[in-house]
Amino acid sequence: MRRPLLFLLAAWAALELIMTAFGMRLAGSSAAERTMAGRSAVYGTAAGQVKQVSPAASGETVRLSGATITAAGRSCRVRGVLVYTDEADSWKIGWRISVHGEIRQWEEPGNPGQFNLRSHYQAQGIDLFVMPDSSAVLERKTDRLGESLRRIREVLSAQLGRLAPAEDAGVLAA
């Protein structure tokens, strides 16, 4: 009697680990989903360490890792947060920042076959995104290697933009 029960428990645990690795859960919801309290967007604060700064269509995107989200009277830690902002050129890789604004979950696909943005970003370790109204630097401890690589990439991308046609430069810079 004990062996089938142990086998079922082990099988369930293995399935849970596999599903979690692909951004899916069998039991319960993520801390981010519980903090969002069933809403697609809340107004709150996200604080974390700058891991990546990338140009976007309008402004820049900043990836925060090990972020703490505080919204709707709840607080939780999430793996990562993406911040859409115009202030990112003054932030450096490694700094701890806090942004206050609209915190949103990625939308589920509305139609069969539509690209699943939520699964895409969760596979990259990004659970939520923020459209900030304000920001503050909490700690100015720069990751020198990461920041140097970022600056080199920016210079090389600018050079490619001058040397190649616009459609080719974008592909080469990626």
Side-chain angles (χ1 to χ4, degrees):
M1 179 69 183
R2 293 175 89 189
R3 288 180 189 229
L5 185 59
L6 286 174
F7 175 76
L8 286 174
L9 183 61
W12 181 83
L15 187 58
E16 177 75 19
L17 287 172
I18 291 169
M19 299 289 280
T20 301
F22 288 101
M24 300 177 275
R25 303 262 315 157
L26 290 177
S29 59
S30 71
E33 290 168 343
R34 288 191 301 274
T35 300
M36 297 296 285
R39 294 174 283 197
S40 62
V42 295
Y43 199 75
T45 303
Q49 185 176 30
V50 176
K51 283 294 182 185
Q52 182 181 12
V53 178
S54 305
S58 61
E60 294 182 288
T61 59
V62 177
R63 181 179 179 162
L64 301 180
S65 68
T68 301
I69 302 294
T70 305
R74 298 178 181 188
S75 183
C76 74
R77 286 194 47 89
V78 294
R79 297 175 301 162
V81 174
L82 203 60
V83 179
Y84 293 97
T85 184
D86 294 329
E87 303 175 37
D89 20 332
S90 62
W91 297 341
K92 298 187 184 291
I93 306 291
W95 283 13
R96 288 198 48 79
I97 64 166
S98 173
V99 291
H100 190 74
E102 186 179 30
I103 300 171
R104 300 187 62 87
Q105 291 186 31
W106 305 105
E107 292 183 11
E108 291 284 344
N111 299 313
Q114 182 179 352
F115 184 71
N116 191 334
L117 201 58
R118 179 179 283 187
S119 292
H120 170 74
Y121 279 111
Q122 285 181 340
Q124 294 181 27
I126 301 172
D127 297 316
L128 302 167
F129 68 96
V130 180
M131 305 297 284
D133 295 331
S134 63
S135 64
V137 176
L138 304 174
E139 180 183 347
R140 296 177 189 265
K141 185 176 179 184
T142 305
D143 174 0
R144 291 184 182 174
L145 177 61
E147 185 62 24
S148 297
L149 291 173
R150 172 186 166 207
R151 296 296 178 193
I152 290 169
R153 182 178 180 191
E154 287 176 354
V155 168
L156 292 176
S157 293
Q159 290 289 348
L160 282 171
R162 278 182 277 203
L163 296 174
E167 60 273 0
D168 294 338
V171 172
L172 293 172

